[in-house]
């Protein structure tokens, strides 16, 4: 009994400031995961753009936004309600004509995604090819192939973007697994802003529109590789 009273007295002597911060450790951990995801997205884009036969340059120049889902694993889609996490960066300004800007955290859900993934982690890259497709992703959840048209993207930087698939589709999707890069269909899946992750990342109630079109937040340091690599590869929109 005396020992218990002694321990209780010691706890009362501990300053509250030393106890309270531990209650808020989880959000910091979540933010760190998002920062790592952004860094990984930059690495994925850098590696893909360094291979001449991957995404055609004409398509890069026409893209308003680029979504990167790094290291998605099949297990995430076996359990209902799970999804892949990633980022979207867009050319800034109302009509997506400015330089590449701060990233928006995104979630890719269900549909055919699980079928596209083998035993290894898979990277997904989605090019958003027009203003309508980009604006729809900034507003709400978009069903790919329903709310917005999407097709497997053509390969080869020398390939012409003036193909039926490029002209008709609002989005073009690619996957990379075990180093193999190819166009892939994501019809039936949904893509949406991950608002919880955006709030944790930017520390305020930042909406996708404020992040992209209004440029009201500063890009985190973790986004430097992603933004600078895209700015170097395709500095201006050429619709």
């Amino acid at each position: 009994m005396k020992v218990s009273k002694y321990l209780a007295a010691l706890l009362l002597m501990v300053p509250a400031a030393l106890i309270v911060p531990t209650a808020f450790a989880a959000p910091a951990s979540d933010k760190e995961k998002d920062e790592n995801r952004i860094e990984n997205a930059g690495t994925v884009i850098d590696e893909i753009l360094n291979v001449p036969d991957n995404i055609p340059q004409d398509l890069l120049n026409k893209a308003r936004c680029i979504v990167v889902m790094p290291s998605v694993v099949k297990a995430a889609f076996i359990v209902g309600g799970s999804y892949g996490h990633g980022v979207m960066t867009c050319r800034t300004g109302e009509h997506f004509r400015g330089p590449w800007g701060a990233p928006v955290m995104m979630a890719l859900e269900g549909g055919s995604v699980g079928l596209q993934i083998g035993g290894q982690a898979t990277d997904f890259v989605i090019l958003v090819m027009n203003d309508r497709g980009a604006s729809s992703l900034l507003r709400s959840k978009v069903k790919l192939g329903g709310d917005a048209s999407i097709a497997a993207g053509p390969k080869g930087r020398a390939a012409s973007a003036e193909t039926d698939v490029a002209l008709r589709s609002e989005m073009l999707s690619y996957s990379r697994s075990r180093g193999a890069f190819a166009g892939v269909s994501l019809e039936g899946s949904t893509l949406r802003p991950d608002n919880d992750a955006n709030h944790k990342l930017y520390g305020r109630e930042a909406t996708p529109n404020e992040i992209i079109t209004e440029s009201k937040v500063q890009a985190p340091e973790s986004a430097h590789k992603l933004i600078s690599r895209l700015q170097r590869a395709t500095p201006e929109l050429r619709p």
Side-chain angles (χ1 to χ4, degrees), residues 150-209:
I150 188 167
K155 283 182 57 180
R157 288 191 177 180
S160 172
E162 302 301 322
T163 62
D164 289 343
V165 63
L167 290 172
R168 289 199 313 264
S169 300
E170 292 175 296
M171 302 181 195
L172 300 172
S173 51
Y174 298 87
S175 70
R176 185 181 69 159
S177 181
R178 293 182 177 178
F181 185 78
V184 64
S185 173
L186 292 177
E187 284 193 9
S189 307
T190 58
L191 189 61
R192 65 171 176 83
D194 188 343
N195 292 321
D196 288 342
N198 286 319
H199 297 163
K200 291 171 185 174
L201 179 64
Y202 293 108
R204 58 190 294 271
E205 297 294 308
T207 67
N209 268 311

Side-chain angles (χ1 to χ4, degrees), residues 18-220:
L18 296 179
I19 299 175
V20 174
T22 60
F24 297 93
S29 176
D30 289 341
K31 182 178 179 180
E32 185 176 350
K33 289 179 183 177
D34 292 331
E35 298 268 13
N36 289 338
R37 194 168 289 122
I38 295 171
E39 289 180 355
N40 290 339
T43 299
V44 169
I45 281 296
D46 185 50
E47 291 174 353
I48 287 173
L49 295 182
N50 284 342
V51 179
D53 291 330
N54 281 340
I55 302 174
Q57 186 65 45
D58 283 352
L59 294 181
L60 280 176
N61 293 340
K62 293 176 184 293
R64 274 64 169 178
C65 305
I66 294 182
V67 181
V68 186
M69 297 280 169
S71 302
V72 178
V73 294
K74 189 169 187 176
F77 294 90
I78 294 175
V79 180
S82 295
Y83 43 78
H85 297 274
V87 304
M88 176 174 73
T89 182
C90 301
R91 301 180 195 270
T92 52
E94 185 179 357
H95 299 293
F96 308 100
R97 299 299 193 270
W100 295 93
V104 171
M105 306 306 295
M106 302 291 289
L108 182 67
E109 301 175 311
S112 62
V113 180
L115 300 177
Q116 310 293 342
I117 305 173
Q120 302 295 315
T122 301
D123 305 315
F124 290 102
V125 176
I126 301 172
L127 306 187
V128 185
M129 303 305 297
N130 59 30
D131 291 9
R132 181 179 178 277
S135 296
S136 64
L137 284 175
L138 296 181
R139 289 194 303 268
S140 61
K141 177 186 291 188
V142 172
K143 184 172 183 178
L144 304 179
D147 301 323
S149 58
I150 188 167
K155 283 182 57 180
R157 288 191 177 180
S160 172
E162 302 301 322
T163 62
D164 289 343
V165 63
L167 290 172
R168 289 199 313 264
S169 300
E170 292 175 296
M171 302 181 195
L172 300 172
S173 51
Y174 298 87
S175 70
R176 185 181 69 159
S177 181
R178 293 182 177 178
F181 185 78
V184 64
S185 173
L186 292 177
E187 284 193 9
S189 307
T190 58
L191 189 61
R192 65 171 176 83
D194 188 343
N195 292 321
D196 288 342
N198 286 319
H199 297 163
K200 291 171 185 174
L201 179 64
Y202 293 108
R204 58 190 294 271
E205 297 294 308
T207 67
N209 268 311
E210 288 177 334
I211 297 169
I212 297 295
T213 59
E214 300 175 29
S215 301
K216 286 189 175 181
V217 301
Q218 184 174 356

